Amino acid sequence: MRLLRLREVKAFFQGHAASHQLGWNWIPRLSLSPKGLKILAASLSCCRWLSDRQRHELGPSHPAGPGPLSGLGRYLQHCPHRSPLLSVVLYPQVTPQAPRGLHCSTAAHNPDSPLVPRPPEPQRGLVKALAPHEELFRQAPDGVRDKASFVQAVQNFTQYNVHKRGHVDFIYLALRKMREYGVERDLAIYNLLLDIFPKEVFRPRNIFHSIFLHYPRQQECGIAVLEQMENHGVMPNKETEFLLTQIFGRKSYPMLKFVRMKLWFTRFKNINPFPVPRDLPQDPVDLARLALRHMEPDLSARVTVYQMPLSKDSTDATDPTEPHIVGIQSPDQQAALAHHDPARPIFVEGPFSLWLRDKCVYYHILRADLLPPEEREVEEIPEEWNLYYPMQLDLAYGRSSWDDYEFNIDEVEEGPVFAICMAGAHDQATLAKWIQGLQETNPTLARIPVVFRLSASSGELLASSSGLEETPLTPPEGREEEENNQQRQQQSQS
Amino acid sequence: MSGCGLFLRSAAAARLGRALVAFTASRRPLRTSPPSQAFAKELFLGKIEKKEVFPFPEVSQDELNEINQFVGPVEKFFTEEVDSQKIDREGKIPNETLEKLKSLGLFGMQVPEEYGGLGLSNTMYARLGEIISLDCSIAVTLAAHQAIGLKGIILAGSEEQKARYLPKLASGEHVAAFCLTEPASGSDAASIRTRATLSEDKKHYVLNGSKVWITNGGLASVFTVFAKTEVVDSNGSVKDKVTAFIVERDFGGITSGKPEDKLGIRGSNTCEVHFENTRVPVENVLGEVGGGFKVAMNILNSGRFSMGSAVAGMLKKLIEMTAEYACTRKQFNRNLSEFGLIQEKFALMAQKAYVMESMAYLTAGMLDQPGFPDCSIEAAMVKVFSSEAAWQCVSEALQVLGGSGYMRDYPYERILRDSRILLIFEGTNEILRMYIALTGLQHAGRILTARVKQLKQGNVTTIMETVSQRVRDSLGRTVDLGLTGKLGAVHPSMETIVEEQLVLKRVANILINLYGMTAVLSRASRSIRVGLQNHDHEVLLANIFCTEAYYQNLFALSQLDKSDLRREERGTPRNSEHWHPTPTVLTRLSPPAVGMTKWLLQQILRKISMN
């Protein structure tokens, strides 16, 4: 660790200066900033540790009344923007959902870092302090959790809390609640959340402010908002930019994040040549239809619904005897199946998984083994075929033993796939119904032995009965969500 | 544009060149060695067969006089009596026009004299074609009659068949049609559905099936029909093979559909022809039973060369009309012809017309040589070049004419419509490009594989030759044999070149350009030598074309190069710096042309060997 040299400070500052035009100019120039931020974070953590100790010493020892310092602490806790140093007191309980993306944050948050002493107890007590904000979200009338009630909650916060105390916590909380209210893809809501920040307060006033993370907790919070937008593929707009410049100024990390989003979102928006619609159909039959179309390259293939699931009104909603069966087959596959040698068996294999956004569906294929090379028919070019030009160059090669006939070809040949299906149940009885249905259009199938090679369903990620219909309401934690998010980003939507 | 028509008039003016002509004419029949390979095929091996193309073929004075006798009245008839506009409007050639054509003998131009035809040589046929093409509908009708319709009888017919059919066909009493295309079969002979089955008494074939887009289908009374027949192989198996038949309308069971409504050549009659249990006597099999494929190929290959001269004739007429307009129309107190952009268009038209004419007459001259030289590649090149140039030139001419080019009251738009078919019929240009490239590569490949075989067997002379060639090449032009890789073996996957259509197209384009360059160089150098009037003009045209074609070739070569997989294997045309498109090179063939072909081959084969 060393102090920043003036040259580096200059470079950093220039990077900032150029940022509003070319956001990516920052990337190389910021290379030194994590070190500086690490120093900062370490020193700030020390401060917080010290103040915590003070409070511990004072607080419990005077049960009759809170000591003056702890009172000050509570005050500061609710208006963290007043002092940059003390605001970091609340740092570690910012959120369990640590914002990623900015390189400094990992260093600052890493609890294993030797520079950061582990805070002893106060975590739990402070988390409880968030409860008032939780209440704002509970106020919503029962059952109705929509955009209006979310907006209402946010407005309640701003009205009730004119000084915007604890707004960072509230924003984190609101971010977590967005999914429940189904507003996680709503740009206006994100702008609304950003609007909670007090304006002009966190803007860096001088060069040193912008070098050292100015109001880090607020900036992290702003980044968290943008990060969640990114994860849900929401493109920030002019209003977002305006808000960010008002709140954090141009030379700030949220702004950097914004510029990067502006740059890359447009590039990645249509990167997937096979886009999956944003809102997947809820009906499993429609979902299967979509998934099958998604997998089948031949556009002339026909989707057939072999069996509809029983309607939901019936007593047994998940009647195992009547799951849906949807299959797809192209004319080419039909022709290939018609030419299949009945002496060779064909196989039903599966279930294989297919992810459509955050839903996993399972499919089965009907396939045959590859013909052994000696039985393959070589397509012959008829002698008198083309009236105009030779279809084959007939050169009298004098091949001898010297010549190398084997070429290094990396090709794995696979047997033909004749049809794909998706069914509500993965047992043999259901799939046998599919084969029966296929026999109507493929008469030869009646003469071909069909072997079921079904793997145990242990490989399934979700239980087939519930997994197809339910979406997890609570945001999945940790890795799983990360994967989902990545997937979502790849299948970038509008 | 008067310069373009110089060739035929030239002989009369060229007293100086006479001796030379007489010398070559007398020398040629005496040649005892086997006729050398056709020019284009050798081009693929990187060789220029100078004997074939230098000097530019000429006709004797007698022939010239003879042809002028024909040309006069025919030209008079076409300019004065044929009303192309009316033919186009009504979609029919009037009977009196047809009668007059018959009386002029135009229905039997290439039928030998003993069968009542004119027995014209290919060169003279090409010359007449120039005039006939003043009306495209008539030209197509005549071409369908004699270039493909009755050509089968001349090429493959027996004496009896010739004696029976040719006189009436030559006089125009009977009109012929060529029935090959079917709804499901264009160039794919395997999908021909028309079927001929031998009757039980083995005296007749019973013909069933239908053919589409048959030119003269409604007028014709003699058809050359291709149908599948069952043929017993040498090893006893029965196979379906194509057989050609001469079918008369009187055999019964022949119906023709209503004439098709077409974009251009509206005066020609095109319709479907249906055969229903038509009984064809066994004697009317053309060629051998089961040999129809070769007959069809020969007919198609032989019919093409004349298109070059025909298009040139049409273009010259168009240039004349356009020039008249450009010289009279005034804008800003200046004639259109004074504007640079207009002049550019005329330069283009003159150049293209000159080139296609040179190519056509060069090919015709090669075909007129004794023996039966195989000039099918050259003919295909002429067809491709002239049809594409025609479309381009007509379009440019319309541009000069402005609004009046678009009006139906003027003849220009008709010419545009008519010329579109040139790219399509007699084998589309795409298919012909494949033909040019593949036939040439096949020839080159065979010779080079034979050479490799000899090398492997340790033939001392071949090895010495190869080594000395290599040494010479490395000292001189640094172009190696090309076809062989580093280890001296041709890659066995050469067959895949057939699938590389984009490569083949460029190969064909390069070869077409090379042939065009050869033709104009040959012709222009002869004009200089015999001191033709306006030969400086010819030199200029040749010069423009050669420069342009050279750059086109370079471009095509670089494109071939780009698709190359291995970067380090890429080369540049090494001889380019020696190329100066100045009149001095007109007297001999430029070495770059030779080097380029070799280099090209080398590149292609490298590419192939990499796949």
Side-chain angles (χ1 to χ4, degrees), chain B residues 43 46-48 50 54 476-477 479 514 517 521 550 573-582 584-599:
Chain B
L43 210 53
K47 286 184 203 150
I48 301 277
K50 293 183 193 147
F54 293 102
R477 295 199 312 267
V479 175
L514 285 179
M517 282 154 99
L521 290 178
Y550 169 67
R574 274 166 280 200
N575 301 319
S576 55
E577 66 269 25
H578 301 306
W579 170 259
H580 299 293
T582 51
T584 51
V585 298
L586 296 178
T587 48
R588 61 193 173 83
L589 244 166
S590 54
V594 183
M596 211 141 60
T597 333
K598 272 196 179 179
W599 180 84

Side-chain angles (χ1 to χ4, degrees), chain B residues 441-518:
Chain B
L441 283 180
Q442 182 159 18
H443 172 77
R446 272 194 191 142
I447 287 181
L448 289 167
T449 41
R451 207 183 165 97
V452 170
K453 213 189 279 180
Q454 281 181 339
L455 281 178
K456 275 188 189 167
Q457 286 162 357
N459 189 323
V460 182
T461 22
T462 325
I463 292 174
M464 289 301 289
E465 258 177 39
T466 315
V467 170
S468 64
Q469 179 85 30
R470 291 239 164 182
V471 171
R472 243 184 302 148
D473 283 346
S474 62
L475 293 178
R477 295 199 312 267
T478 65
V479 175
D480 64 25
L481 197 59
L483 256 180
T484 55
K486 273 182 190 149
L487 300 171
V490 175
H491 198 282
S493 65
M494 172 90 181
E495 289 100 339
T496 56
I497 188 73
V498 178
E499 297 302 315
E500 297 276 348
Q501 294 205 337
L502 295 183
V503 171
L504 290 174
K505 176 196 137 187
R506 299 203 162 93
V507 173
N509 281 349
I510 291 167
L511 265 292
I512 292 169
N513 274 337
L514 285 179
Y515 187 57
M517 282 154 99
T518 316

Side-chain angles (χ1 to χ4, degrees), chain A residues 416-472:
Chain A
V417 173
F418 297 123
I420 315 176
C421 96
M422 282 189 178
H426 306 322
D427 51 30
Q428 189 167 336
T430 315
L431 294 168
K433 278 185 192 164
W434 170 47
I435 300 295
Q436 273 174 12
L438 271 179
Q439 282 177 5
E440 284 171 23
T441 43
N442 301 279
T444 42
L445 195 55
R447 290 185 283 123
I448 307 172
V450 178
V451 179
F452 288 87
R453 292 205 293 211
L454 306 177
S455 60
S457 56
S458 58
E460 296 175 30
L461 289 174
L462 301 168
S464 58
S465 54
S466 63
L468 287 177
E469 285 119 40
E470 279 177 25
T471 38

Side-chain angles (χ1 to χ4, degrees), chain B residues 320-355:
Chain B
E320 205 180 296
M321 294 191 289
T322 320
E324 200 182 317
Y325 177 84
C327 294
T328 48
R329 167 101 173 162
K330 283 206 170 204
Q331 292 290 291
F332 312 112
N333 288 333
R334 285 158 85 189
N335 286 331
L336 278 193
S337 55
E338 289 171 49
F339 293 103
L341 286 179
I342 303 295
Q343 288 168 350
E344 187 197 19
K345 294 187 197 307
F346 279 103
L348 177 97
M349 291 192 276
Q351 173 214 328
K352 295 277 183 196
Y354 182 75
V355 178

Side-chain angles (χ1 to χ4, degrees), chain B residues 8 12 67 69 123 126 203 249 256 372 399 422 500 550 593:
Chain B
L8 282 155
I67 209 169
Q69 281 174 3
T123 310
K203 284 186 178 167
R249 195 178 276 274
S256 17
F372 293 99
Q399 203 64 28
L422 299 171
E500 297 276 348
Y550 169 67

Side-chain angles (χ1 to χ4, degrees), chain B residues 521-534:
Chain B
L521 290 178
S522 167
R523 178 170 164 195
S525 53
R526 192 209 51 172
S527 302
I528 298 174
R529 203 175 57 247
V530 300
L532 287 188
Q533 212 180 349
N534 291 339

Side-chain angles (χ1 to χ4, degrees), chain B residues 36-299:
Chain B
S36 60
Q37 285 292 338
F39 173 79
K41 282 188 174 175
E42 290 300 300
L43 210 53
F44 272 85
L45 278 171
K47 286 184 203 150
I48 301 277
E49 277 292 322
K50 293 183 193 147
K51 260 188 287 179
E52 298 280 331
V53 290
F54 293 102
F56 199 77
E58 297 192 4
V59 289
S60 68
Q61 190 63 41
D62 295 342
E63 233 180 326
L64 197 70
N65 291 340
E66 194 188 341
I67 209 169
N68 283 340
Q69 281 174 3
F70 275 119
V71 167
V74 175
E75 198 162 10
K76 189 159 172 273
F77 169 69
F78 268 89
T79 46
E80 289 174 8
E81 291 179 41
V82 174
D83 184 355
S84 297
Q85 194 146 6
K86 193 177 155 213
I87 293 176
D88 184 61
R89 285 275 156 78
E90 293 176 1
K92 192 174 180 300
I93 302 171
N95 278 334
E96 52 271 27
T97 312
L98 279 179
E99 287 308 316
K100 190 73 199 288
L101 288 171
K102 284 171 190 171
S103 68
L104 282 167
L106 295 180
F107 274 72
M109 282 188 280
Q110 282 205 295
V111 178
E113 281 174 62
E114 64 258 38
Y115 299 115
L118 297 179
L120 297 183
S121 68
N122 289 305
T123 310
M124 284 158 67
Y125 178 60
R127 171 69 184 129
L128 268 184
E130 264 188 60
I131 294 153
I132 290 166
S133 65
L134 293 181
D135 184 282
C136 289
S137 298
I138 294 176
V140 168
T141 306
L142 289 178
H145 169 71
Q146 53 195 333
I148 49 177
L150 59 80
K151 202 58 165 271
I153 303 176
I154 298 178
L155 289 179
S158 64
E159 280 307 313
E160 297 84 55
Q161 286 167 346
K162 285 183 183 174
R164 181 161 175 208
Y165 290 107
L166 284 183
K168 283 186 177 172
L169 288 169
S171 68
E173 192 181 332
H174 286 170
V175 176
F178 181 76
C179 305
L180 178 62
T181 313
E182 291 188 12
S185 158
S187 42
D188 179 359
S191 58
I192 287 179
R193 296 273 174 276
T194 305
R195 182 158 278 285
T197 38
L198 198 58
S199 65
E200 283 180 9
D201 56 359
K202 306 219 164 176
K203 284 186 178 167
H204 288 92
Y205 278 97
V206 179
L207 198 63
N208 275 300
S210 51
K211 301 280 185 181
V212 292
W213 303 332
I214 305 304
T215 312
N216 292 350
L219 311 172
S221 33
V222 176
F223 300 88
T224 309
V225 185
F226 294 86
K228 281 276 175 74
T229 49
E230 283 185 352
V231 177
V232 181
D233 255 8
S234 52
N235 50 10
S237 60
V238 178
K239 265 191 170 180
D240 274 353
K241 283 198 148 188
V242 183
T243 307
F245 298 94
I246 307 170
V247 183
E248 293 176 35
R249 195 178 276 274
D250 301 339
F251 289 165
I254 303 177
T255 46
S256 17
K258 77 171 179 51
E260 305 277 351
D261 197 11
K262 303 186 289 287
L263 174 74
I265 51 167
R266 296 172 61 86
S268 70
N269 176 291
T270 306
C271 60
E272 292 176 16
V273 178
H274 305 280
F275 300 94
E276 204 184 331
N277 292 329
T278 306
R279 291 168 70 83
V280 185
V282 180
E283 306 89 77
N284 276 26
V285 171
L286 199 52
E288 290 171 20
V289 175
F293 187 83
K294 287 221 170 66
V295 174
M297 255 176 59
N298 286 338
I299 296 172

